[in-house]
Amino acid sequence: MIQSEKQSLRAHLRSLPPPSPEGTTGLLTTILGTAEWQAASSILLYAPLPDEPDPTGILAHDGRKSFLFPRISGDFLQLFRWSPDSIWTIGPFGVREPDAGTWERVEPGNVDLALIPGLAFDAFGRRLGRGRGYYDRLLGDREFHAIKAGLCTEDRLLPGIPIEPHDVVMDLIITGQRVIRPSSMLDNPAQSG
């Protein structure tokens, strides 16, 4: 039942236009203004698909931080440290990902802040992914303790998203206009950041 709800929601979201560059610019500004960004030294980013906000512009904002990117390996995501000379490859779903031979591999426990893509999120921190479970497995790893921040544009922030037991809830939802802290939503559902 929940799987069919998710599939229907995914089909609807894939029919929407991709986020505008203006929305991404606001998103980066919002990320840089968070206390979580200021406190983090190691940040997990992602190379976006066309319908996802692009966080890679953040690479130019702080040379003291370490940036990591995921790479698909079987059913899991492995993490690799970025450098300006890093070589990219194209992964199984047409996504840019680290070339395992030229990037330094990093364990999941070394991430402070994880910026997570999704088709949509809700104000309670629930995420609708693409259905393969890569991020849920990474974020659910017992060594992974980073703050999980879902990135989306306002039109991808939905009233509710159906979830299953394996779905991992975000600590923050960041849009181009605001930061939503789901734990405060549980105390006061009328408040949204």
Side-chain angles (χ1 to χ4, degrees):
M1 173 99 163
I2 290 177
Q3 275 297 325
S4 63
E5 288 178 62
K6 285 182 169 183
Q7 291 297 17
S8 176
L9 194 50
R10 284 184 184 107
H12 167 70
L13 291 164
R14 287 183 177 123
S15 72
L16 297 176
S20 70
E22 295 79 22
T24 299
T25 301
L27 184 72
L28 296 180
T29 302
T30 306
I31 293 167
L32 295 171
T34 65
E36 290 80 5
W37 166 266
Q38 299 300 324
S41 60
S42 182
I43 295 109
L44 175 63
L45 301 177
Y46 60 88
L49 289 167
D51 60 352
E52 296 171 341
D54 184 352
T56 59
I58 219 160
L59 293 170
H61 285 276
D62 194 331
R64 295 167 295 167
K65 295 190 185 290
S66 174
F67 296 104
L68 312 173
F69 283 86
R71 175 185 170 87
I72 293 173
S73 177
D75 288 334
F76 297 91
L77 292 177
Q78 293 179 335
L79 306 181
F80 293 83
R81 188 177 322 280
W82 175 86
S83 76
D85 299 326
S86 294
I87 296 172
W88 296 90
T89 62
I90 301 299
F93 301 103
V95 179
R96 285 186 317 144
E97 58 180 32
D99 172 55
T102 60
W103 291 51
E104 174 193 355
R105 181 145 178 231
V106 177
E107 294 302 318
N110 293 327
V111 181
D112 297 322
L113 173 63
L115 304 182
I116 307 298
L119 286 171
F121 296 87
D122 70 18
F124 298 99
R126 296 175 289 211
R127 171 184 172 268
L128 181 68
R130 296 185 181 275
R132 304 255 182 195
Y134 291 110
Y135 274 98
D136 287 316
R137 283 188 287 279
L138 172 66
L139 303 178
D141 184 306
R142 66 175 183 229
E143 292 183 21
F144 192 92
H145 302 290
I147 294 170
K148 301 171 292 294
L151 304 187
C152 69
T153 52
E154 286 287 326
D155 65 331
R156 299 297 177 109
L157 187 61
L158 306 180
I161 291 177
I163 61 168
E164 297 172 272
H166 66 269
D167 292 327
V168 175
V169 175
M170 302 293 105
D171 300 308
L172 307 171
I173 305 298
I174 302 175
T175 75
Q177 300 172 1
R178 58 189 166 148
V179 177
I180 300 168
R181 300 180 188 282
S183 60
S184 67
M185 292 295 295
L186 297 174
D187 299 330
N188 181 6
Q191 182 182 4
S192 63

